[in-house]
Amino acid sequence: MRRSDSPTWVALGALTSGAATYVLLVVTARAVGPAAYGRFSLFWAAIIITSLGAFLPFEQVLARRSAGRRASAASVVALRVSGTRLALVVAAIAIAVHTVIQLVRGGSTDAVVISVVAFALACLGYAWQFPSRGVLAGRTAFRQYAVVVVVDAGLRAVLALVLWAAGVHSVGPYVAAVAASSLVCGAVGAWLVHRWDRHAPATPVVAEALPRRGATLAHEVGGLVVAMLCMQALLNSGLVVAGAAGTGQDAVVAGHLLAALTLARLPVFVLQAAQAAYVSRIADLAHRREHAALRRLLLMVASAVLAMAAATVLVAAAVGPQLVSLVFGPDYTVSRAAVTLVAGGIAAYLVASVTNDVAVALGAHRWTSPAWVCALLTAVVVAVAVPDLIVRSALPLLVGSLTAAAVLLPVVIRRARPDAPAW
């Protein structure tokens, strides 16, 4: 394996991207203030839900399809073209949905136009970026993959720092920075894939391969999109509910709460970086029917995630308010009870997310979509029924995550038994 093929590049890229994302969020929060931070967070939630829910499945499917020695360079080029075309269709749907939501929600004309245009440009960038990332991952071009990941998060963080240093305090330019970084990253990803496969005889092969690949690709991506959209919508439910607060005191309270939500989500980034390390190992042991080793690994993973979840809640209860003010500035104050409730939701999501990963690794794919659909529906009921803004923003994630875990955990237990059917 060449040095550029080392998976270490992916881990470094993920850690750098996570750090840069926190720079963006903290700098923006300090620049625009608590009341306006709610408006930015609502846009950011739409970006995260769409990118990781609707477009990340393209990366996952294309990575699997383009992997291996049997995938020729020409067929990979055809696959990327097909994936990009389908991603553009998804982008058009996402832009239409976002536009309708913005028009229904209301607000100033300028704010609606900025949000819709920035979101549209970001989606176009994602339609380039994620199929390219999938091909680079499948072809083990991990260094190039890391470059794509870092460019997106790094550029928007740098732009936010420049805006902050220039004394910009309105939300619009920070929203535009997110859109600009997505477009640039999409172009960089496409260029890197072109460099990697520049000797492929693309044109005649593409015309022949696209119809057959397109139909199958749409079916495979569609199944993943449902589960991942529900997962991301649930994880970002607090950002959506709190960010939707109007003006006045509610908007200020929402800004404080959003700072706590942003800080409490740090363990989720850590978990995502470690995901590949345990999912592939669990799948390998399950395939080889090594049940004793599988049970030991599952117990180790369960212990680690429960320890992380408990630490998240304990740290929030002990020093959560102080950490929020330290990181985001003295203008951001939140009660200990609110921070603890937010951390409880994140802890429950960590458990549900790892249970989902294990279910997939054990071959129980068909249970993931129903589990997260039930979780999201439960969260919506809670958000509608609870009147208090803080509880309404934090409780849906806790209840929804517990619902998903309750559906998936029995499936995982059955699949991990020695008498479970092979898959």
Side-chain angles (χ1 to χ4, degrees):
M1 180 177 288
R2 295 185 302 273
R3 187 179 178 184
S4 63
D5 291 342
S6 172
T8 304
W9 287 106
V10 178
L12 291 174
L15 291 173
T16 305
S17 175
T21 297
Y22 268 84
V23 170
L24 166 74
L25 298 177
V26 171
V27 165
T28 303
R30 286 178 170 266
V32 304
Y37 188 54
R39 297 200 302 274
F40 176 82
S41 293
L42 194 60
F43 175 80
W44 180 248
I47 287 291
I48 294 299
I49 292 170
T50 304
S51 60
L52 300 184
F55 290 101
L56 184 59
F58 284 91
E59 175 185 331
Q60 295 172 327
V61 172
L62 266 65
R64 184 184 63 78
R65 286 188 170 211
S66 58
R69 296 179 180 274
R70 294 173 61 185
S72 67
S75 66
V76 169
V77 170
L79 181 63
R80 182 177 66 85
V81 171
S82 181
T84 302
R85 289 180 178 178
L86 184 58
L88 286 171
V89 175
V90 172
I93 296 172
I95 293 166
V97 171
H98 183 75
T99 302
V100 170
I101 291 174
Q102 290 299 309
L103 292 175
V104 171
R105 180 172 178 266
S108 67
T109 302
D110 289 346
V112 171
V113 170
I114 290 173
S115 178
V116 169
V117 172
F119 184 82
L121 294 176
C123 284
L124 291 177
Y126 293 139
W128 271 353
Q129 178 189 153
F130 283 94
S132 298
R133 281 168 51 167
V135 169
L136 291 172
R139 304 299 275 179
T140 67
F142 293 135
R143 183 165 56 183
Q144 290 86 340
Y145 178 94
V147 168
V148 177
V149 172
V150 170
V151 164
D152 190 17
L155 180 58
R156 64 195 179 209
V158 169
L159 291 175
L161 285 168
V162 170
L163 291 171
W164 187 32
V168 177
H169 301 295
S170 58
V171 174
Y174 295 91
V175 168
V178 174
S181 68
S182 174
L183 275 179
V184 171
C185 182
V188 169
W191 176 72
L192 287 173
V193 172
H194 176 72
R195 264 188 86 219
W196 187 261
D197 287 326
R198 61 186 178 274
H199 299 302
T203 306
V205 179
V206 168
E208 181 181 13
L210 275 179
R212 176 177 58 84
R213 290 182 179 273
T216 309
L217 186 65
H219 177 76
E220 191 170 353
V221 168
L224 285 173
V225 165
V226 174
M228 297 197 70
L229 273 178
C230 290
M231 287 182 71
Q232 290 303 317
L234 180 63
L235 178 59
N236 292 277
S237 58
L239 299 181
V240 174
V241 174
T247 58
Q249 187 58 33
D250 272 356
V252 175
V253 172
H256 295 165
L257 182 63
L258 289 165
L261 281 164
T262 302
L263 196 59
R265 283 155 56 104
L266 181 60
V268 177
F269 286 99
V270 176
L271 181 66
Q272 289 172 344
Q275 184 185 60
Y278 64 83
V279 169
S280 59
R281 180 61 177 160
I282 290 171
D284 181 58
L285 291 174
H287 272 297
R288 291 193 277 125
R289 312 286 288 175
E290 297 184 12
H291 297 293
L294 177 61
R295 283 195 300 272
R296 287 195 299 270
L297 179 57
L298 290 177
L299 285 173
M300 184 174 66
V301 171
S303 300
V305 72
L306 288 174
M308 184 183 294
T312 300
V313 176
L314 291 174
V315 170
V319 294
Q322 294 87 338
L323 285 176
V324 171
S325 297
L326 176 65
V327 174
F328 289 88
D331 291 338
Y332 290 83
T333 58
V334 62
S335 70
R336 196 172 306 278
V339 176
T340 305
L341 181 59
V342 167
I346 295 297
Y349 182 83
L350 290 174
V351 174
S353 178
V354 170
T355 307
N356 179 85
D357 292 339
V358 173
V360 171
L362 295 176
H365 304 75
R366 64 188 183 90
W367 285 95
T368 57
S369 291
W372 291 103
V373 169
C374 290
L376 184 59
L377 291 175
T378 306
V380 170
V381 171
V382 173
V384 171
V386 175
D388 182 77
L389 176 60
I390 293 177
V391 179
R392 188 171 72 243
S393 300
L395 191 59
L397 177 58
L398 175 60
V399 176
S401 297
L402 291 176
T403 301
V407 174
L408 291 170
L409 191 56
V411 177
V412 168
I413 293 173
R414 289 197 304 269
R415 278 293 201 170
R417 288 175 179 169
D419 57 348
W423 56 277

